[in-house]
Amino acid sequence: PRMSTPDSLVGQCLAKGFARCLPSSSPPVLTAGGVVRGTDAVLPNHGMEAFGFSNNVVRRIVLENAREYHSLIATVPTLTIDDLIRALKDQVLEEEMLVRLLKWWPKVCRVERSMERRGLLLKEAVRFDATNMIGERAAPKSGDENAGNSPSTDADDDVQSVQVRRFESIL
């Protein structure tokens, strides 16, 4: 006997029929943070899930094993560059994450050329903590009252100032 493969249209019709059985709720999906409704999850896209979406992203291995379920039945939206820009506006990046973003951006632009047009908006959205940046560590000034060998108090050790900057300050 010869093996047969059903037409993909048959599978799509079955998926849509299954989805119609649950019109008021989205089927559950497994994300890195646990099981959530499909509308509350997002599908990974070119690695941008690493920049602030860790809990509600469907793991790549799960997506690869059940792509039709996630896209047709649960209708999980895919992360977009606009989602990334919105997420970056709401956070201040640490040095490690800033370096990761700066390495990721040229790579993703080579793969997905259409993202290049959003580069300026991404640049405007990025804020980073410049307190501990290499080359940004300020030595005490000679006129400072805390300069030299004066002992610091516990209160001084507990307070850490954060310098939030935008890309314009380094580019």
Side-chain angles (χ1 to χ4, degrees):
R2 229 173 74 182
M3 297 292 288
S4 69
T5 304
D7 187 3
S8 64
L9 185 59
V10 172
Q12 290 175 1
C13 288
L14 287 171
K16 288 178 183 176
F18 182 80
R20 284 191 198 126
C21 292
L22 304 166
S24 62
S25 68
S26 178
V29 296
L30 180 62
T31 66
V35 177
V36 298
R37 293 276 169 216
T39 54
D40 297 331
V42 289
L43 298 178
N45 185 10
H46 297 293
M48 67 178 70
E49 60 274 8
F51 304 104
F53 303 97
S54 59
N55 285 335
N56 63 343
V57 176
V58 174
R59 291 180 193 260
R60 197 167 290 281
I61 188 75
V62 173
L63 175 61
E64 289 170 3
N65 287 310
R67 187 169 298 278
E68 293 81 14
Y69 174 80
H70 290 92
S71 60
L72 295 174
I73 297 173
T75 59
V76 179
T78 302
L79 274 174
T80 66
I81 189 68
D82 293 322
D83 296 330
L84 176 62
I85 290 169
R86 276 191 297 278
L88 289 174
K89 282 182 180 178
D90 294 337
Q91 61 181 314
V92 176
L93 299 178
E94 297 291 329
E95 180 180 10
E96 179 182 316
M97 193 60 74
L98 177 64
V99 169
R100 190 173 181 183
L101 178 69
L102 291 172
K103 288 180 177 180
W104 171 81
W105 181 248
K107 291 176 186 176
V108 76
C109 285
R110 279 193 301 264
V111 173
E112 189 67 41
R113 288 284 196 199
S114 63
M115 283 196 200
E116 278 185 281
R117 290 178 278 152
R118 311 295 283 167
L120 185 58
L121 289 174
L122 181 72
K123 177 183 169 184
E124 291 171 356
V126 172
R127 295 177 310 151
F128 61 94
D129 177 5
T131 307
N132 296 321
M133 291 289 194
I134 296 171
E136 292 286 332
R137 294 180 180 95
K141 296 176 186 163
S142 59
D144 252 353
E145 49 191 58
N146 288 334
N149 295 330
S150 63
S152 64
T153 64
D154 287 338
D156 291 338
D157 293 339
D158 291 341
V159 176
Q160 178 184 3
S161 65
V162 174
Q163 298 174 11
V164 176
R165 297 209 179 145
R166 295 194 174 276
F167 269 153
E168 286 81 20
S169 64
I170 62 170
L171 296 178

